[in-house]
Amino acid sequence: MPYFSIIVPVYNRVDEVDDLLGSLSQQTSKDFEVILVEDGSSERCEAVVAKFEDKVDVKYFYKENEGRSIARNYGMERASGEYFLFFDSDCVIPERYVATLRDALRSGYTDCFGGPDAAHNSFTDMQKAINYSMTSFLTTGGIRGGKVQLEKFVPRTFNMGFSRKVWEKVGGFREMFSEDIDMSTRIRQAGFSISLIRDAYVYHKRRNNLKSFCRQTYVFGMSRITLYMLYPDSLKLVHMLPAVFVIGVVTMALLSLLWSWWWIMPLAAYLLAVFVCALFSTKSLKISLLSIVTSVVQLGAYGLGFIKAYVWKVLLRHGRNVDEEVKLRKGK
């Protein structure tokens, strides 16, 4: 019986599954099974799974579309491992990931863990720029696995795991946006330990264009208010900074038009800092320039989503009831 059960929800991601299973077939440790749950895809990946059946212990399940959280819960119900791992289908796993994680758990066991993500050399320049803006302290405050953090570390489902005992006590994921943050909060409230294992990183492709990235971060901003309504103590200063960024940019733009262009200098200085740090990190002029754009898109979209949800749900008390928004279809 394998120690790890790797659970991956999939929805119309044939090429991504090919890359993911290819990377898992190269693992130096084989102490795992893969539970791949196809969540009602119109483009099914059965043929891709068949390519790797002699290289990876992979179990394929197809179900009607209900959402990624329900798919993860479906996978856990069919897993045989003692420790569940969760990846997104757009991840590529370094060959020593499983071995590194097993060694880390042996030397310092934790009930739940999360790891960071990185950009693979094969990624496009836009993907690398998005990866930078999603992991930089200047844009996220280090809350996604950076060296400096402005809040307690919260595992994310692109690279997250917890024990079977956690699942048996806490239950499955809720079908909601930011379900991984909700799950991590419930795990911590139940008294389980949560750790960041820095060496257990994955290559995360994320979005590959600005439109989809903008939409994703806008939803992140809105979902932060849902989490605030569920857990009032969870809202920290770092979560408000994108909204402050949006208000600040609008204010500086108006002041520069009405009085003096000097009012725009704080924004220019910040964007210069993003460029310099990105250049130091990526060693690429093009990616550093793109990082300015992706950082503005990320902060702007998140901030707008945050402001809209706060005004609509908190101040005006409109929108769906929180219990309806996070209603569990399976697990609790």
Side-chain angles (χ1 to χ4, degrees), residues 3-4 27-32 85 93-110 113-116 159 196-202:
Y3 184 72
F4 295 113
Q27 292 296 302
T28 58
S29 171
K30 304 296 184 180
D31 193 15
F32 65 91
L85 306 183
I93 315 303
E95 64 181 14
R96 284 197 50 79
Y97 178 96
V98 174
T100 298
L101 178 59
R102 194 71 174 103
D103 289 344
L105 292 177
R106 283 170 176 160
S107 61
Y109 182 81
T110 183
F113 90 96
N159 185 10
L196 166 64
I197 301 179
R198 298 187 192 279
D199 292 335
Y201 65 90
V202 301

Side-chain angles (χ1 to χ4, degrees), residues 103-285:
D103 289 344
L105 292 177
R106 283 170 176 160
S107 61
Y109 182 81
T110 183
D111 301 303
C112 173
F113 90 96
D117 61 335
H120 193 271
N121 289 334
S122 65
F123 290 4
T124 66
D125 289 339
M126 179 61 73
Q127 287 174 319
K128 291 176 181 178
I130 289 174
N131 180 267
Y132 173 79
S133 63
M134 289 291 284
T135 56
S136 170
F137 178 77
L138 289 176
T139 53
T140 66
I143 62 176
R144 289 180 175 266
K147 294 182 179 180
V148 181
Q149 297 175 7
L150 297 182
E151 71 159 353
K152 289 182 178 179
F153 173 68
V154 178
R156 314 291 174 121
T157 45
F158 63 79
N159 185 10
M160 176 184 185
F162 50 75
S163 68
R164 178 177 289 274
K165 290 182 180 179
V166 168
W167 173 56
E168 291 172 348
K169 181 174 182 179
V170 178
F173 291 90
R174 289 170 169 167
E175 185 55 38
M176 59 181 286
F177 290 118
S178 296
E179 71 282 0
D180 43 11
I181 301 176
D182 170 73
M183 186 67 175
S184 297
T185 302
R186 290 156 52 210
I187 290 172
R188 181 172 278 116
Q189 289 180 344
F192 290 105
S193 58
I194 298 179
S195 300
L196 166 64
I197 301 179
R198 298 187 192 279
D199 292 335
Y201 65 90
V202 301
Y203 297 117
H204 195 191
K205 297 176 185 177
R206 298 188 182 279
R207 298 299 185 265
N208 57 14
N209 63 72
L210 288 176
K211 182 178 180 181
S212 58
F213 180 54
C214 180
R215 182 181 181 279
Q216 180 189 48
T217 50
Y218 180 80
V219 170
F220 285 167
M222 295 188 68
S223 66
R224 177 50 65 180
I225 297 304
T226 299
L227 291 166
Y228 163 70
M229 296 175 74
L230 280 169
Y231 312 106
D233 293 339
S234 69
L235 188 63
K236 308 298 181 184
L237 175 63
V238 66
H239 304 134
M240 305 177 194
L241 292 180
V244 174
F245 175 83
V246 170
I247 295 171
V249 167
V250 172
T251 302
M252 285 185 285
L254 290 174
L255 290 174
S256 65
L257 290 173
L258 296 174
W259 278 281
S260 169
W261 64 272
W262 281 99
W263 282 102
I264 209 69
M265 291 306 293
L267 175 61
Y270 172 75
L271 297 180
L272 177 62
V274 170
F275 171 78
V276 171
C277 291
L279 186 62
F280 179 80
S281 174
T282 66
K283 308 295 189 301
S284 168
L285 179 62

